[in-house]
Amino acid sequence: MTAQVPHILVVGGGYVGMYTAYGLRRAARKGKIRVTVVDPRSVMTYQPFLPEAAAGSVEPRHVVVPLRKTLKGCRVVTGRVTAIDHAHKVARVMPEEGPEYELAYDQVVVALGSIARTLPIPGLAEEATGFKNVEEAIALRNKVLDRLDVASSQPDPALRKSALTFVFVGGGYAGVEAFAELEDMARYATRYYDNIQPEDMHWVLVEATGRILPEVGEELGKYTVDQLRKRNMDIRLETRLESCEKGHVVLSDGDEFDADTIVWTAGVKANPALANTDFPLDEKGRIKALPNLRIEGVEDAWTAGDNAAVPDLTSDTGAFTAPNAQHAVRQARQLAANILRVVDGQPPQDYKHKYVGSVASLGLHKGVAQLYGVKVKGWLAWFLHRTYHVSRVPTFNRKARVILDWTLALFFRREVTSLGSLQTPNEEFRRATQS
């Protein structure tokens, strides 16, 4: 009797999910295993390039990787896993349309990642936008350019000031890079407006702690603050957003003002769907993992990335690996190799990677980086940022397209067209039906 082919269920199609399935695809094509990937989105977003996509330096389509095209040999299900009963090796799947159903598996990879960590701030849900996917990046780009159009055509000083005020909450990578890239783009765009100068805009970064970009170290963090302030950008350290109802921003330092654009990038938390599983969780809601990326105390279950507490074997303090792309991509590759080793009857190997460092873009030709303890600033840091991340974008196709975007930008002026109508595509038709 022929042995049943093991079915590997990958829950999540982000960094860990996609790269794990990518590492398993050849074995799946050979019929050695079956692989199913379940994610609400049919693409994987390479998030480090979202700020550049928002600023127009990279075509938005080039920062997403279509799962079905990339994971040939694997089955891709567009849906949301709402619960996992590992005791019976069954996952509950809510498809895009239709009723929930159960999906059985032999081994499971839990790669649900993280979601934005929000606070119960009045007005936040109604007025703010996040910055974790390409739709939000496109919408934010359109919003910024649209506000320039509004301000240029608005005679009311108060409304004009509100349109030209942009507030970003959170001083980590996502917040600082989006803040700096979009200001750089908007500053460039003002040359096409006869009644808007760069100094008319008010860009505000709100950070609850006393520093930004902690990953690059205190010295480069202070350097970044200095550079942004030289661009007339308002950096509020040790300050919290208290309220933003109807666009009226209230800060903990007592300042109040109106802003049409509010962006929330103040951290992430493990996906709350993990609570609907029978896996062990830590105090932060992350799955407890062993160094070999197996789930602690559970057979035939694996995890990695933002939703996992993976021990950092390079640390003597009992720390866990940082929730970033650098670890997620490497963990996924080790995870895929471990699954294949177990299928072949071999023991899995531990994940161990010493953190290389961090790079951050602060706009075109500007950046900071700390690699192997070496601090780099300015153009070289910006170049290292691009070089590192283009090397990590999955598939040669996407690498080539991103490089082509950058190459064309050397010979043509920056594109600063707003496609604001994409936000309300039926508005023109609706007006026609009412006329």
Side-chain angles (χ1 to χ4, degrees), residues 139-214:
L140 185 55
R141 169 185 170 80
N142 289 338
K143 179 72 174 292
V144 170
L145 293 173
D146 179 69
R147 293 300 89 188
L148 294 180
D149 289 341
V150 168
S152 177
S153 309
Q154 179 55 252
D156 187 315
L159 295 177
R160 174 184 166 93
K161 185 176 181 180
S162 178
L164 293 177
T165 300
F166 309 92
V167 179
F168 287 67
V169 184
Y173 271 116
V176 171
E177 289 193 328
F179 181 66
E181 288 279 0
L182 282 162
E183 188 276 343
D184 196 59
M185 177 200 70
R187 178 181 291 271
Y188 178 88
T190 58
R191 67 182 61 190
Y192 300 110
Y193 296 85
D194 58 3
N195 60 347
I196 299 179
Q197 300 300 318
E199 53 269 22
D200 294 334
M201 298 186 295
H202 186 199
W203 291 80
V204 186
L205 179 66
V206 179
E207 168 55 39
T209 68
R211 57 190 290 195
I212 65 173
L213 294 180

Side-chain angles (χ1 to χ4, degrees), residues 258-319:
D258 292 333
D260 285 0
T261 307
I262 302 170
V263 186
W264 180 268
T265 62
V268 296
K269 63 180 180 180
N271 196 309
L274 297 174
N276 299 325
T277 71
D278 50 357
F279 298 125
L281 306 181
D282 69 0
E283 67 282 357
K284 294 183 179 180
R286 302 174 299 181
I287 296 179
K288 296 180 180 179
L290 299 174
N292 60 18
L293 304 178
R294 272 182 158 157
I295 294 178
E296 187 178 297
V298 182
E299 292 293 324
D300 300 325
W302 310 80
T303 191
D306 291 3
N307 69 183
V310 179
D312 186 353
L313 297 184
T314 66
S315 171
D316 297 327
T317 61

Side-chain angles (χ1 to χ4, degrees), residues 369-424:
Q370 180 169 273
L371 301 173
Y372 299 104
V374 178
K375 300 178 178 64
V376 186
K377 308 171 184 176
W379 185 91
L380 180 57
W382 168 82
F383 178 77
L384 290 172
H385 171 270
R386 285 195 162 186
T387 302
Y388 173 77
H389 283 300
V390 80
S391 72
R392 297 302 166 189
V393 173
T395 77
F396 175 79
N397 180 299
R398 283 295 177 273
K399 287 180 171 63
R401 290 178 184 274
V402 170
I403 292 173
L404 182 60
D405 286 342
W406 290 338
T407 303
L408 291 174
L410 296 174
F411 302 100
F412 299 98
R413 290 185 176 183
R414 189 178 226 165
E415 183 60 65
V416 289
T417 302
S418 169
L419 298 177
S421 61
L422 289 176
Q423 312 301 112
T424 54

Side-chain angles (χ1 to χ4, degrees), residues 11 44 80 105 157 165 174 242 246 275 297 299 308 317 338 343 358 394:
V11 182
M44 187 277 275
R80 190 180 304 276
Y105 60 82
T165 300
E242 299 285 357
K246 296 181 179 180
E299 292 293 324
T317 61
N338 280 349
V343 170
S358 303

Side-chain angles (χ1 to χ4, degrees), residues 94-260:
M94 173 62 78
E96 191 170 351
E97 294 184 7
E100 276 190 332
Y101 60 89
E102 292 188 344
L103 186 61
Y105 60 82
D106 296 301
Q107 296 192 49
V108 65
V109 176
V110 184
L112 286 169
S114 60
I115 65 170
R117 185 184 67 227
T118 59
L119 297 173
I121 297 172
L124 184 66
E126 296 79 15
E127 302 295 334
T129 181
F131 199 75
K132 279 184 68 66
N133 57 55
V134 71
E135 297 94 273
E136 290 174 330
I138 295 172
L140 185 55
R141 169 185 170 80
N142 289 338
K143 179 72 174 292
V144 170
L145 293 173
D146 179 69
R147 293 300 89 188
L148 294 180
D149 289 341
V150 168
S152 177
S153 309
Q154 179 55 252
D156 187 315
L159 295 177
R160 174 184 166 93
K161 185 176 181 180
S162 178
L164 293 177
T165 300
F166 309 92
V167 179
F168 287 67
V169 184
Y173 271 116
V176 171
E177 289 193 328
F179 181 66
E181 288 279 0
L182 282 162
E183 188 276 343
D184 196 59
M185 177 200 70
R187 178 181 291 271
Y188 178 88
T190 58
R191 67 182 61 190
Y192 300 110
Y193 296 85
D194 58 3
N195 60 347
I196 299 179
Q197 300 300 318
E199 53 269 22
D200 294 334
M201 298 186 295
H202 186 199
W203 291 80
V204 186
L205 179 66
V206 179
E207 168 55 39
T209 68
R211 57 190 290 195
I212 65 173
L213 294 180
E215 297 88 349
V216 299
E218 186 173 356
E219 179 183 336
L220 289 180
K222 290 181 178 178
Y223 168 83
T224 301
V225 170
D226 291 340
Q227 292 302 305
L228 295 178
R229 284 176 172 164
K230 286 179 181 178
R231 287 158 58 177
N232 201 34
M233 300 170 80
D234 189 355
I235 313 299
R236 306 288 185 97
L237 301 179
E238 297 183 340
T239 305
R240 299 181 308 279
L241 175 66
E242 299 285 357
S243 172
C244 58
E245 291 182 291
K246 296 181 179 180
H248 184 68
V249 174
V250 179
L251 301 180
S252 62
D253 62 6
D255 198 8
E256 298 183 24
F257 51 85
D258 292 333
D260 285 0

Side-chain angles (χ1 to χ4, degrees), residues 340-363:
L340 294 177
R341 288 178 64 86
V342 169
V343 170
D344 290 336
Q346 302 177 38
Q349 296 179 339
D350 289 346
Y351 169 78
K352 184 177 182 179
H353 170 68
K354 187 171 180 59
Y355 193 57
V356 173
S358 303
V359 290
S361 172
L362 303 178

